[in-house]
Amino acid sequence: MDSQILVIFGASGDLAKRKLIPAVYKLHKGGYLPEKFIVLGVSRTDYTDEEFRNNVFEDSDFLDSNKDADFADKLFYQAIDTLSEESYSKVRQKLERLGEEHHIAPNYIFYLSVPPSLYPKIPAYLAGEGLNKQDKGFSRLVIEKPFGYDETSARELNEQLLEYFEEEQIFRIDHYLGKETVQNLLVTRFGNGIFEPLWNRNYIHHIEITAAEEIGVGSRGGYYDKSGALRDMVQNHLLQIVALMAMEPPNSTDADAIRNEKLKLFQAMRPIKKEEVSQYAIRGQYISSEVDRDLIKGYREEEGVPNDSTAETYVALKFFIDNWRWADVPFYIRTGKRLPAKATEIVVYFKSPPHHLFINEQDFTNMNNQLIIRIQPDEGLLLQFGMKVPGAGFRVKNVEMDFHYSELTDAEVPEAYERLILDVMKGDATLYARGDSVEAAWQFIDPILEAWEANPDIKLYGYPAGTWGPEAARKLIEGENVSWRTPCKTLTESRNFCEL
Ligand code: BG6
């Protein structure tokens, strides 16, 4: 890999400390970094290189307790006023100096771990110093969500970025795409002859995706209240999962081959009509309740949240994909904070056989096979199918076959950020969101947001913290023998009451 410098804007911030530097450290420990590699932290705080290193190592539970000198030697720092264009010459000079001293070619990754208001500014100021040019080395820009607030602002942001950087230089992080289990969706679908023929409207009854979190908004109330669950989780993470589950097979694993298919899929998602939003999009907000004798705060009591907030902390959607493969197959997604378990999983619910020979309600009321793909925790796959109960007659019972990643003792599942940072270092954009598909995803989300905004009569259901969300969401999916699967801490457990 080319020698390079990773420049982290917002280096003294929370994300850099919690996720980025630990990920780079793990890459270092794993021997994945190029021999000549440096991290340059940039932010307002007035640190020297040494103070920055100490700050990184202090209170850190990821670094070896003895300061890892090899790693510390790779860390440098430049304080600037990020809002002032003039101060960017300091970044350029420091980069040139570091490059010369450490024999590193001018290959730069600019990671913007900063508030979104700075997204258009930093690229412009970098370009002012010629740091967007690729004539002597590469220059890549990494940005974190939110990519806009709706379709219009996403388009504006893309235009602003494209004024200074080419699309192939821009890497939009969606940390879900860095998860090993999310990438495995491609292998499950396109690497297995047994699943591929079944993956369509002829055999699949519906698909459901759940991303449940036990935590509340914690100290992020200020940010979250302007976002809500639909923007925070659905527009990005969950729609990316939908795309990987439903897109057509790409011609290759090349970044654009995959991203072209995702774009086509987003374009085929039928937007929910404004007048049908109350029927197909259920929103909820957690209210205070007692869980295990602890009183849990309601969302409106959280720090930074107005006491009349209407931000949704839960959302469930039903929608369709208008294309040849998925006509009439309902997709359901739900996500929420303060639910009973932390679990993200996909359920592929197959159609029942055409003629029911073996119905014996006593043991087996559900003839639908299910494939459960567990994104986290207890990552793995579970296939449910019917088996004959030994003995007289034909009594059928549901049994399960399961695979857990933890069984692969020789493979360590890398952290999402580790994988994504390594990919941008290699220039591989496969696991990054492309500008056009971000806009297409917003096109699906916008009518829901607009309807909620324009029509306060659309119900915002309260749900007690520690429960599975509003009753209305249950009704969204309910049908003959069909209801949301209730995920537990482990993949194979699912019922109304499970160990939490
Ligand atoms: C983030 C959201 O993108 O994803 C958070 O902003 C959410 O609100 C988090 O908690 C969930 O990520 P994970 O990896 O814990 O499922």
Side-chain angles (χ1 to χ4, degrees):
M1 213 189 313
D2 299 318
S3 62
Q4 51 192 280
I5 302 183
L6 170 65
V7 186
I8 302 180
F9 283 89
S12 54
D14 191 48
L15 180 78
K17 258 195 179 169
R18 262 185 328 109
K19 296 279 184 194
L20 306 184
I21 305 218
V24 177
Y25 178 68
K26 281 209 174 157
L27 292 172
H28 161 74
K29 284 303 241 188
Y32 295 107
L33 295 180
E35 200 190 326
K36 292 184 177 145
F37 174 81
I38 275 177
V39 175
L40 175 64
V42 178
S43 55
R44 277 165 183 257
T45 319
D46 211 3
Y47 290 138
T48 59
D49 291 339
E50 204 44 44
E51 282 165 344
F52 176 58
R53 289 172 191 166
N54 290 340
N55 185 267
V56 164
F57 279 85
E58 246 167 45
D59 315 321
S60 141
D61 47 9
F62 70 90
L63 293 166
D64 294 346
S65 48
N66 296 328
K67 187 162 153 180
D68 181 331
D70 273 3
F71 184 64
D73 286 350
K74 296 184 187 302
L75 304 178
F76 294 85
Y77 187 81
Q78 178 64 53
I80 64 164
D81 173 2
T82 27
L83 284 173
S84 129
E85 188 167 3
E86 291 79 62
S87 42
Y88 284 69
S89 63
K90 289 191 198 150
V91 176
R92 180 181 47 74
Q93 285 160 12
K94 180 108 179 183
L95 285 172
E96 285 169 0
R97 211 168 48 244
L98 287 172
E100 264 168 43
E101 284 167 12
H102 298 265
H103 310 289
I104 297 183
N107 292 320
Y108 305 131
I109 297 173
F110 300 103
Y111 198 120
L112 309 195
S113 173
V114 295
S117 57
L118 287 174
Y119 286 176
K121 296 207 169 83
I122 297 179
Y125 299 160
L126 289 171
E129 295 297 322
L131 289 169
N132 57 340
K133 299 241 163 59
Q134 303 211 90
D135 40 2
K136 296 201 190 88
F138 63 70
S139 166
R140 297 174 188 148
L141 189 70
V142 184
I143 62 170
E144 286 274 343
K145 72 160 215 275
F147 311 127
Y149 191 71
D150 53 18
E151 194 201 339
T152 314
S153 54
R155 219 174 264 287
E156 247 169 52
L157 174 65
N158 282 338
E159 281 162 12
Q160 286 158 346
L161 297 174
L162 289 169
E163 237 179 273
Y164 306 103
F165 286 79
E166 303 286 328
E167 178 64 36
E168 51 108 14
Q169 292 176 276
I170 305 170
F171 290 72
R172 295 174 190 78
I173 281 227
D174 184 309
H175 81 278
Y176 263 62
L177 293 176
K179 291 182 194 279
E180 196 60 37
T181 39
V182 173
Q183 294 157 41
N184 191 42
L185 293 175
L186 289 176
V187 177
T188 305
R189 286 193 57 198
F190 304 126
N192 290 294
I194 55 166
F195 297 134
E196 191 279 331
L198 305 181
W199 218 262
N200 58 55
R201 66 186 306 275
N202 297 324
Y203 303 101
I204 292 181
H205 182 277
H206 73 267
I207 289 185
E208 89 195 44
I209 302 174
T210 295
E213 292 187 278
E214 266 181 287
I215 52 165
V217 292
S219 56
R220 297 165 74 223
Y223 148 79
Y224 194 88
D225 204 62
K226 292 189 198 69
S227 165
L230 196 60
R231 289 189 176 96
D232 185 52
M233 288 292 288
V234 179
Q235 189 275 341
N236 37 65
H237 310 322
L238 295 191
L239 291 193
Q240 288 293 335
I241 294 182
V242 171
L244 292 170
M245 283 296 288
M247 70 185 204
E248 292 304 308
N251 291 348
S252 70
T253 53
D254 174 71
D256 272 327
I258 292 181
R259 299 190 305 172
N260 288 343
E261 295 307 332
K262 280 195 194 167
L263 174 65
K264 263 168 63 191
L265 193 277
F266 288 139
Q267 289 167 337
M269 287 173 66
R270 187 192 307 166
I272 298 174
K273 292 197 191 100
K274 279 190 197 157
E275 59 279 16
E276 290 177 347
V277 163
S278 58
Q279 207 181 331
Y280 291 118
I282 307 299
R283 57 175 170 166
Q285 191 185 75
Y286 60 85
I287 54 178
S288 151
S289 84
E290 211 174 281
V291 179
D292 291 340
R293 303 223 180 121
D294 286 337
L295 186 67
I296 306 288
K297 274 190 214 165
Y299 175 69
R300 292 181 184 177
E301 283 109 58
E302 299 277 17
E303 185 193 323
V305 174
N307 56 16
D308 57 353
S309 166
T310 56
E312 76 287 356
T313 59
Y314 176 99
V315 61
L317 304 179
K318 174 179 182 178
F319 63 91
F320 293 89
I321 295 173
D322 286 334
N323 65 14
W324 199 266
R325 185 184 289 270
W326 296 114
D328 299 331
V329 177
F331 280 71
Y332 300 91
I333 51 189
R334 64 174 171 168
T335 183
K337 297 220 183 270
R338 288 276 183 231
L339 301 186
K342 171 148 179 95
T344 303
E345 68 176 30
I346 303 159
V347 182
V348 182
Y349 198 94
F350 291 94
K351 289 185 174 168
S352 62
H355 176 57
H356 295 185
L357 282 176
F358 309 120
I359 295 293
N360 180 335
E361 274 80 14
Q362 209 183 349
D363 300 307
F364 191 61
T365 50
N366 189 345
M367 298 291 285
N368 300 75
N369 299 125
Q370 292 178 40
L371 174 68
I372 292 116
I373 305 177
R374 183 76 164 206
I375 304 294
Q376 62 187 22
D378 192 12
E379 293 81 358
L381 286 187
L382 178 73
L383 186 64
Q384 289 186 342
F385 52 97
M387 284 288 284
K388 182 180 174 303
V389 178
F394 281 102
R395 284 175 57 209
V396 183
K397 157 183 188 353
N398 247 330
V399 294
E400 297 178 337
M401 253 165 39
D402 51 328
F403 156 74
H404 304 256
Y405 270 77
S406 53
E407 288 159 13
L408 300 175
T409 44
D410 53 343
E412 202 199 325
V413 180
E415 270 271 325
Y417 273 95
E418 244 176 284
R419 171 66 201 264
L420 292 171
I421 291 176
L422 187 61
D423 279 5
V424 67
M425 288 169 62
K426 292 181 178 158
D428 180 356
T430 312
L431 301 179
Y432 284 84
R434 203 170 61 189
D436 51 5
S437 70
V438 169
E439 289 170 18
W442 278 117
Q443 270 168 24
F444 174 75
I445 296 293
D446 270 9
I448 308 171
L449 291 170
E450 281 161 21
W452 284 349
E453 210 158 288
N455 192 348
D457 294 341
I458 297 179
K459 289 197 175 88
L460 169 68
Y461 298 93
Y463 61 96
T467 65
W468 277 108
E471 175 78 2
R474 192 165 62 76
K475 300 215 174 98
L476 190 68
I477 195 170
E478 219 166 42
E480 204 188 328
N481 282 335
V482 178
S483 56
W484 295 100
R485 188 182 121 95
T486 310
C488 292
K489 200 162 67 177
T490 60
L491 169 62
T492 45
E493 221 188 336
S494 158
R495 49 192 79 109
N496 288 337
F497 302 99
C498 48
E499 192 207 336
L500 297 178

